[in-house]
Amino acid sequence: MARLMKEWTVDALGAQNLKITERAVPEPGPGEVLVRTTAVSLNFRDKLVLENGMGMPLSFPFVPGSDMAGVVEAVGRDVTRFKAGDRVISVFDPTWIDGQKPGTARHPTSYALGGLNPGVASQYVAFPEDWFVAAPESLDDGEASTLPCAGVTAWFALVEKGHPKAGDRVVVQGTGGVSLFGLQIAKAHGAEVIVTSASPDKLARARALGADHGINRASEDWAERVLEITGDQGADHILEMAGGANLGKSLQAVAVQGRISVIGVFEGAEISAPVTPVLLKSPVIQGIGVAHRRALEDLTAAVDRTGIKPVIDARYPFEQFPAALAHLDRGPFGKVVVEF
C-alpha cells in the first residue's frame, strides 16, 4: 500500500483557501532525490504569490513555498550528488546554476519553486538532484531553511556583486530576513552597518546583533542621517528594501559611485527617483532577483566558516502554516519558519 503524505495546497488564489491535503509519497525518478522535509522558511514573496500569483500561470492545486531543508530519503537512478541521509536545502530557481540568468530581454524568467515550479510545503518532495545543495553543518534545519532566498539574496547583493571590504559603509533597510542577513554578512566582511527601521525595539535588537548605527525612519530623515553619520561621504552599499519613491532617498544617501541593490517592493512595485543624483554620483543601481545555485553553495560554506546564525523570529509546527503566514504579515524580526 502506498505511503501517504500531507501538504498545504490552494485550489484558488487567496491564503484563506489554504488546506491540508493528502497524496501518495512520490517515488524518485532517474536523476531525482526523495527528500523528507524538515523545515520551510517563509518569504514575503510567498504571501504575494498566494494573493495574486505575481502574474504567473499557476497550476492548481498549488503548493506554496520555495525554501526548505530536509533529509534525503531515497535516490533515483544515476544520482551522483547526494545519497540517503544527506541534509539538503532547496535552490530557489533551479534553472539558474551559475553565470548569466536564463531568459531574454523580452521574456525574463524565474522558474522558482513555489511559482512556475512546485512548492515545498509538503512532507516529501521528489525533485531533480540539481535542485538542492548540501545544508551547512553548523545550522539546524530551521536555520538552514532560511538560506535559499533571504540569505543568498543578501549574499548575492553584497558579496557576489558588491565585493565589500573592511571599512565600507552599508545601509540595511528594515529588519526582515534579507536585511538581517545583510547586517551579518556585512559585519563578517568588516563593514560599518547602518540599520533603518520604524521600530525602536527592532533597532535595539539590530544593535545587539552587531549594527553600528540605528536610524528611526519614522521620526528622522534617514538619508540625511546617513550623510551625517558618514561625514557626507554616503553609503558604499544600500540594500533597498522598500521600493517605490524610497529609491530617491537611497540615491540621496549613496556614496559617489556607490551601489544600491533593489530588492524589496514594500512601498510599491513602481520605483521612482530624480535623475540628477544618478548623473552626478554615477552609482550602480542593480536589481537582485535572488541568486544562482553556485552563490548559494558559496554562502553555505561561508556560514560554516564564519559562524553566521540566521535570525528566526518564530517557529511554527506544520499544522499552523496559516498562522506562520499571518506572523509574516505582521513584520517579523528576521525569519518565520515552519517545522515538520
Side-chain angles (χ1 to χ4, degrees):
M1 185 176 177
R3 290 189 299 162
L4 295 178
M5 69 171 192
K6 295 179 179 179
E7 60 187 4
W8 283 98
T9 65
V10 292
D11 292 320
L13 291 177
Q16 71 276 9
N17 296 314
L18 278 166
K19 61 183 179 181
I20 295 178
T21 58
E22 284 191 344
R23 66 179 177 94
V25 174
E27 293 289 335
E32 293 185 339
V33 293
L34 176 67
V35 177
R36 176 175 55 81
T37 306
T38 53
V40 169
S41 171
L42 300 183
N43 300 297
F44 187 68
R45 168 189 176 270
D46 299 325
K47 172 181 175 293
L48 295 179
V49 171
L50 283 171
E51 285 178 354
N52 57 39
M54 295 185 68
M56 294 180 288
L58 303 181
S59 298
F60 296 100
F62 174 73
V63 178
S66 61
D67 296 16
M68 63 163 285
V71 179
V72 175
E73 187 163 291
V75 301
R77 191 177 71 248
D78 300 326
V79 167
T80 60
R81 298 181 67 236
F82 301 106
K83 64 183 184 304
D86 285 347
R87 295 176 62 238
V88 296
I89 56 177
S90 56
V91 176
F92 181 79
D93 182 347
T95 68
W96 191 14
I97 303 300
D98 200 352
Q100 183 171 322
K101 191 174 184 179
T104 66
R106 186 181 298 276
H107 299 293
T109 61
S110 176
Y111 286 93
L113 303 182
L116 295 181
N117 270 313
V120 297
S122 303
Q123 290 179 319
Y124 290 87
V125 295
F127 293 158
E129 62 175 336
D130 286 344
W131 293 23
F132 298 97
V133 303
E137 295 180 0
S138 58
L139 302 184
D140 66 33
D141 289 356
E143 293 167 336
S145 74
T146 68
L147 300 183
C149 182
V152 80
T153 294
W155 176 268
F156 199 69
L158 289 173
V159 180
E160 181 85 13
K161 296 295 186 180
H163 308 294
K165 61 185 183 299
D168 279 359
R169 276 80 172 252
V170 176
V171 170
V172 172
Q173 297 176 1
T175 55
V178 175
S179 298
L180 294 188
F181 270 116
L183 162 59
Q184 293 183 86
I185 290 167
K187 291 301 294 182
H189 284 80
E192 180 180 352
V193 178
I194 304 167
V195 174
T196 70
S197 173
S199 166
D201 174 65
K202 289 180 178 178
L203 286 173
R205 294 169 72 182
R207 291 292 293 266
L209 196 60
D212 298 281
H213 310 276
I215 301 173
N216 188 328
R217 61 177 174 82
S219 60
E220 302 179 87
D221 182 331
W222 73 262
E224 183 61 31
R225 280 290 295 131
V226 168
L227 295 178
E228 292 173 2
I229 290 169
T230 61
D232 283 350
Q233 293 304 302
D236 301 288
H237 310 261
I238 297 178
L239 297 189
E240 170 56 68
M241 302 302 301
N246 194 66
L247 178 61
K249 302 298 289 183
S250 290
L251 280 168
Q252 180 184 343
V254 75
V256 173
Q257 294 186 321
R259 183 177 295 265
I260 301 171
S261 295
V262 180
I263 298 170
V265 294
F266 293 105
E267 292 188 10
E270 297 289 332
I271 58 174
S272 60
V275 72
T276 300
V278 176
L279 300 177
L280 293 179
K281 293 186 177 183
S282 301
V284 173
I285 303 174
Q286 62 184 19
I288 300 294
V290 192
H292 45 55
R293 191 184 78 192
R294 196 263 300 154
L296 181 58
E297 292 169 333
D298 291 347
L299 171 60
T300 59
V303 164
D304 279 338
R305 184 174 65 250
T306 63
I308 287 174
K309 286 286 186 181
V311 179
I312 297 178
D313 198 42
R315 301 179 189 234
Y316 289 82
F318 171 78
E319 293 77 13
Q320 294 182 20
F321 189 86
L325 280 170
H327 189 133
L328 186 72
D329 233 2
R330 295 193 295 271
F333 185 83
K335 297 294 293 178
V336 176
V337 169
V338 176
E339 295 182 316
F340 289 54

